[in-house]
């Protein structure tokens, strides 16, 4: 063996011995909470003695056996791996205190404690490997510092990960499972039923059709919130539940004022889709409390249907044989329906009991119930006579109370919302105002631009009066002005229709006014009352409403029904109003 190989073996053995003793010294130098400075100094003296004894008993170059390199490396690995094993047994110290103890242990080592090189080659090799005592100590201290920093970083990362996981568990919504499962959803048309002998191909087709219908439903309707199992549950409110019972919201208010120029409307299925046998539609009456409507036609049939916009099921049909129906009205409480014609009797149908009564016109009177109106209070009933008379009856007893004589034939009647006045529009330019408190005519005013009056309506809030004539002009007056002046000036004049006005109707909020003419097709307009402008997007494009004979709003303005001469009743949803 050459001298170079012997030196390499000596250096390797020396490095392993010094490192093992240094680690033993550093571990024994760690002070505990109960030990003092004297206990920490004892291991250092033992290390010095061991180092001196090793230096004295070190063999010469000739007698010293060549240590195997593999064995030395194993010892080094064992010494390096001892850190992790002893960290679990001993309590970890503060990094600053541990570095201070290591530096103290190295500084106390003297030059004599380290084995001196005996030849020039040993000295050169030791200087190359260690670079001197100070550099060796700094290298070991840097290694200890790196281990401490890595340990701290690992603990910090673990703490952050635990905090994040706990936050996610707190914020994550509780996953819920379906309360029940419909077997029909899985067994599409019974193709998965084991009792039905079908092959695998048919079962696969059934699954595909189920998925296809489900995707189509989500595209059209969307994914409803109640079907989302992972949604965040909101606290239930009894008031909210009561507000949303039924097909439409019952007690919510409309969202602000009605915008002008454009109105949001939705076309629904025809209101009389299951009947269509009423003939020319004469009257449409919405029930004041229930989502039900009554449709009367010239054929003598009266249909009572539900109002939901989807099915509009027929509830009942009232047949009036040998009775040419001309006019039909519901009482304000919705309990009775009155049907009139040119004949000298009329029918009263009780919607609660389902009984019908036929009442005659007084024998000495020569008039019929072909055009009548019921007061909002349900107290009076006014009917048009043959020669300018207006007969005033009790709505409850049907007894004749008064007969009002006008100069011209009366073409239209309307009560004020408080049932204090009765407005009578004649076949001329005059409009009579009759006081039901004084039992006399209090004012007669002239309708501006009118030659032959045809219709009249008063808004529910008691602010406006709308009059229509056969020249296609509709005037909107202030109600208070019409009670005093002979020639009032209209607030707004609507001349969008050029043919005779047959129907004028306000909605419940007095924001919308519907005017219609039965002379031309689609002869209907919706007017924004405050601005006096007509909505540009109604009638809807490509809509076929026919010759409109009557128009009616639901009690809260959420629905609009339009009847025509061909026995069709179109139904629209006014989206601005959420109520029925």
């Amino acid at each position: 063996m050459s001298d170079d190989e012997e030196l390499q073996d000596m250096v390797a053995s020396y490095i392993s011995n010094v490192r093992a003793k240094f680690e033993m010294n550093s571990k024994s130098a760690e002070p505990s909470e109960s030990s003092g400075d004297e206990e920490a100094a004892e291991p250092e003296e033992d290390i010095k003695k061991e180092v001196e004894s090793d230096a004295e008993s070190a063999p010469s170059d000739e007698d010293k056996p060549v240590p195997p390199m593999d064995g030395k490396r194993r010892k080094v690995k064992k010494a390096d791996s001892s850190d992790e094993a002893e960290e679990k047994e001993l309590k970890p110290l503060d990094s600053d205190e541990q570095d201070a103890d290591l530096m103290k242990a190295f500084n106390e080592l003297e030059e004599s404690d380290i084995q001196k090189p005996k030849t020039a080659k040993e000295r050169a090799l030791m200087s190359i490997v260690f670079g001197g005592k100070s550099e060796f100590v700094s290298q070991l201290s840097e290694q200890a510092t790196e281990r401490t920093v890595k340990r701290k970083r690992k603990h910090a990362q673990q703490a952050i990960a635990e905090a994040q996981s706990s936050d996610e568990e707190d914020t994550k919504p509780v996953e819920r499972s379906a309360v029940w499962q419909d077997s029909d959803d899985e067994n599409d048309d019974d193709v998965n039923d084991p009792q039905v002998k079908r092959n695998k191909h048919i079962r696969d087709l059934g699954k595909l059709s189920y998925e296809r219908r489900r995707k189509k439903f989500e595209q059209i309707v969307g994914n409803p919130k109640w079907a989302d199992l992972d949604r965040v549950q909101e606290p239930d409110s009894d008031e909210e539940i009561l507000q949303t019972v039924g097909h439409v919201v019952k007690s919510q208010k409309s969202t602000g004022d009605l915008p002008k120029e454009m109105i949001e409307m939705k076309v629904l299925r025809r209101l009389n889709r299951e009947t269509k046998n009423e003939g020319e539609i004469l009257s449409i009456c919405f029930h004041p409390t229930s989502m039900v409507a009554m449709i009367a036609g010239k054929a003598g049939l009266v249909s009572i249907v539900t109002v939901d916009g989807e099915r509009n099921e027929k509830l009942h049909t009232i047949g009036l044989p040998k009775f040419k129906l001309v006019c039909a009205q519901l009482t304000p409480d919705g309990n009775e329906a009155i049907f009139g014609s040119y004949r000298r009797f009329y029918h009263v149908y009780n919607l609660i009991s389902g009984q019908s009564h036929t009442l005659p016109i007084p024998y000495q009177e020569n008039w019929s119930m072909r055009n009548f109106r019921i007061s909002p209070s349900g107290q009076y009933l006014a009917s048009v006579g043959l020669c300018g008379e207006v007969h005033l009856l009790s709505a409850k007893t049907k007894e004749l109370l008064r007969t009002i004589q006008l100069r011209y034939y009366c073409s239209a009647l309307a009560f004020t919302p408080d049932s204090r006045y009765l407005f009578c529009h004649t076949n001329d330019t005059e409009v009579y105002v009759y006081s039901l408190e004084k039992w006399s005519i209090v004012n007669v005013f002239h309708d501006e631009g009118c030659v032959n009056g045809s219709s009249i309506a008063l808004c529910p809030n008691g602010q406006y009066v709308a009059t229509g004539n056969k020249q296609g002009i509709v005037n909107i007056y202030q109600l208070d002005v019409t009670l005093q002046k002979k020639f009032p000036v209209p607030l707004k004049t609507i001349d969008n229709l050029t043919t005779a006005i047959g129907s004028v109707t306000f909605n419940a909020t007095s924001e919308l006014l519907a005017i219609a003419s039965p002379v031309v097709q689609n002869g209907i307009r919706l007017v924004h009352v405050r601005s006096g402008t007509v909505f540009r997007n109604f009638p809807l494009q490509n809509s076929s409403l026919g010759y409109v004979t009557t128009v009616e709003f639901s009690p809260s303005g959420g629905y609009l029904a339009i009847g025509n001469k061909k026995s069709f009743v179109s139904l629209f949803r006014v989206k601005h109003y959420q109520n029925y």
Side-chain angles (χ1 to χ4, degrees):
M1 184 179 293
S2 63
D3 295 338
D4 294 337
E5 293 177 354
E6 292 179 359
L7 288 174
Q8 290 179 2
D9 295 337
M10 289 174 62
V11 170
S13 62
Y14 180 77
I15 291 171
S16 61
N17 290 333
V18 172
R19 181 167 295 183
K21 290 178 181 179
F22 167 69
E23 291 176 355
M24 291 176 62
N25 184 16
S26 62
K27 292 172 184 175
S28 61
E30 294 177 354
S32 61
E33 294 179 359
S34 61
S35 64
D37 297 336
E38 295 178 359
E39 295 178 356
E42 290 179 0
E44 297 178 3
E45 296 177 358
D46 297 338
I47 292 172
K48 289 181 181 180
K49 292 177 181 180
E50 290 178 3
V51 172
E52 291 175 359
S53 62
D54 292 339
E56 291 176 359
S57 61
S60 61
D61 296 340
E62 297 178 358
D63 301 333
K64 184 178 179 180
V66 179
M69 296 298 291
D70 298 337
K72 299 299 179 180
R73 290 174 183 172
R74 290 194 192 98
K75 289 181 181 180
V76 174
K77 290 180 180 178
K78 290 181 180 179
D80 292 338
S81 63
S82 62
D83 292 340
E84 299 178 358
E86 294 185 11
E87 282 177 2
K88 298 179 181 179
E89 298 176 359
L90 299 176
K91 296 176 71 176
L93 297 175
D94 188 75
S95 62
D96 297 336
E97 296 178 359
Q98 188 175 1
D99 295 342
D101 294 335
L102 291 174
M103 292 300 296
K104 183 179 179 182
F106 279 110
N107 290 331
E108 289 178 356
L109 292 176
E110 298 178 357
E111 295 291 339
S112 60
D113 297 333
I114 302 175
Q115 187 177 0
K116 304 291 184 180
K118 296 181 178 181
T119 62
K121 290 183 179 181
E122 289 183 6
R123 191 180 300 108
L125 289 172
M126 289 181 67
S127 62
I128 291 171
V129 174
F130 300 108
K133 175 183 176 182
S134 60
E135 294 182 4
F136 181 62
V137 172
S138 64
Q139 290 177 3
L140 292 177
S141 62
E142 287 177 0
Q143 293 177 4
T145 305
E146 288 178 0
R147 286 197 297 272
T148 305
V149 171
K150 289 180 180 178
R151 194 180 299 111
K152 284 186 175 182
R153 189 177 300 166
K154 185 177 180 181
H155 290 318
Q157 290 177 355
Q158 291 178 355
I160 293 171
E162 291 177 359
Q164 290 178 352
S165 63
S166 62
D167 294 341
E168 289 177 358
E169 290 177 358
D170 295 339
T171 57
K172 185 178 180 180
V174 180
E175 294 184 357
R176 296 174 293 160
S177 59
V179 178
W180 61 280
Q181 190 172 5
D182 192 357
S183 59
D184 293 338
D185 293 342
E186 297 177 356
N187 303 329
D188 186 77
D189 297 334
D190 293 337
V191 295
N192 292 333
D193 192 351
Q195 296 179 358
V196 181
K197 295 181 180 180
R198 303 287 180 94
N199 56 25
K200 184 179 179 182
H201 178 65
I202 296 178
R203 288 197 298 271
D204 293 340
L205 289 178
K207 292 179 181 179
L208 291 175
S209 63
Y210 168 72
E211 292 295 332
R212 184 168 60 253
R213 287 200 296 268
R214 183 173 182 174
K215 289 180 180 178
K216 187 175 181 180
F217 174 82
E218 291 179 354
Q219 289 177 356
I220 298 174
V221 182
N223 191 10
K225 293 182 179 179
W226 54 264
D228 187 7
L229 297 177
D230 298 331
R231 74 185 188 277
V232 179
Q233 284 186 334
E234 298 178 355
D236 295 335
S237 173
D238 294 339
E239 295 182 358
E240 239 177 73
I241 295 173
L242 293 175
Q243 286 176 0
T244 55
V245 171
H247 297 281
V248 294
V249 181
K250 291 184 181 287
S251 62
Q252 294 181 358
K253 296 182 179 179
S254 59
T255 56
D257 295 334
L258 179 68
K260 60 180 182 179
E261 294 185 356
M262 303 291 286
I263 185 170
E264 293 186 14
M265 304 281 286
K266 181 181 179 181
V267 182
L268 304 178
R269 304 189 74 174
R270 286 198 302 268
L271 192 59
N272 62 338
R273 53 179 293 271
E274 292 189 358
T275 57
K276 296 182 292 185
N277 296 323
E278 294 85 2
E280 180 181 338
I281 304 301
L282 299 173
S283 177
I284 303 172
C285 300
F286 287 94
H287 196 274
T289 57
S290 302
M291 296 184 67
V292 175
M294 183 183 73
I295 304 169
K298 273 190 175 181
L301 291 177
V302 180
S303 301
I304 299 176
V305 298
T306 60
V307 182
D308 57 14
E310 296 176 358
R311 302 183 64 180
N312 299 331
E313 293 181 355
K314 182 184 73 173
L315 300 178
H316 188 59
T317 299
I318 304 172
L320 302 173
K322 298 181 181 180
F323 186 81
K324 190 175 181 181
L325 186 63
V326 178
C327 186
Q329 293 289 321
L330 274 179
T331 57
D333 57 4
N335 293 334
E336 288 184 347
I338 301 176
F339 310 111
S341 73
Y342 290 104
R343 306 192 67 174
R344 294 180 55 80
F345 59 88
Y346 57 96
H347 291 283
V348 178
Y349 184 83
N350 192 310
L351 299 177
I352 305 300
S353 63
Q355 296 180 355
S356 178
H357 301 280
T358 303
L359 301 179
I361 300 296
Y363 178 76
Q364 66 275 14
E365 299 293 335
N366 188 18
W367 53 274
S368 60
M369 298 277 287
R370 65 178 181 273
N371 187 3
F372 64 92
R373 292 292 181 272
I374 303 173
S375 65
S377 64
Q379 186 177 0
Y380 303 107
L381 187 150
S383 177
V384 175
L386 295 176
C387 301
E389 303 96 349
V390 175
H391 304 282
L392 194 64
L393 290 79
S394 173
K396 295 181 179 179
T397 63
K398 309 302 184 292
E399 181 184 358
L400 181 62
L401 301 177
R402 291 282 193 280
T403 299
I404 307 167
Q405 185 62 50
L406 309 180
R407 290 178 58 188
Y408 303 99
Y409 173 79
C410 182
S411 58
L413 297 170
F415 285 92
T416 57
D418 55 4
S419 301
R420 294 176 58 192
Y421 298 97
L422 173 64
F423 281 69
C424 307
H425 203 341
T426 64
N427 198 19
D428 196 72
T429 63
E430 296 179 346
V431 179
Y432 288 79
V433 181
Y434 183 83
S435 176
L436 297 173
E437 294 177 345
K438 299 178 180 179
W439 300 101
S440 62
I441 297 173
V442 294
N443 190 27
V444 179
F445 68 91
H446 292 266
D447 188 11
E448 185 176 308
C450 175
V451 178
N452 304 107
S454 58
S455 57
I456 190 170
L458 281 84
C459 67
N461 63 7
Q463 292 184 359
Y464 307 110
V465 179
T467 60
N469 54 52
K470 293 183 179 180
Q471 287 70 42
I473 304 296
V474 176
N475 293 324
I476 300 176
Y477 297 95
Q478 194 76 26
L479 177 60
D480 296 338
V481 177
T482 58
L483 296 176
Q484 300 173 359
K485 295 185 178 181
K486 299 290 183 181
F487 297 94
V489 178
L491 297 175
K492 303 291 180 182
T493 299
I494 295 96
D495 54 358
N496 294 76
L497 296 177
T498 58
T499 54
I501 304 298
S503 178
V504 179
T505 308
F506 283 96
N507 74 334
T509 61
S510 305
E511 295 177 308
L512 269 178
L513 174 65
I515 59 175
S517 173
V519 180
V520 294
Q521 290 191 2
N522 296 335
I524 182 173
R525 298 292 184 270
L526 291 181
V527 182
H528 187 266
V529 176
R530 288 191 177 182
S531 62
T533 58
V534 175
F535 289 99
R536 296 182 299 177
N537 62 331
F538 190 85
L540 302 176
Q541 190 175 7
N542 299 327
S543 62
S544 178
L545 301 178
Y547 296 91
V548 179
T549 56
T550 182
V551 182
E552 189 66 28
F553 288 96
S554 62
S556 295
Y559 291 93
L560 171 64
I562 302 172
N564 62 16
K565 291 183 178 181
K566 291 186 177 181
S567 188
F568 288 155
V569 180
S570 303
L571 187 64
F572 295 86
R573 181 74 174 90
V574 185
K575 294 185 178 181
H576 180 77
Y577 303 102
Q578 299 179 358
N579 302 348
Y580 159 72

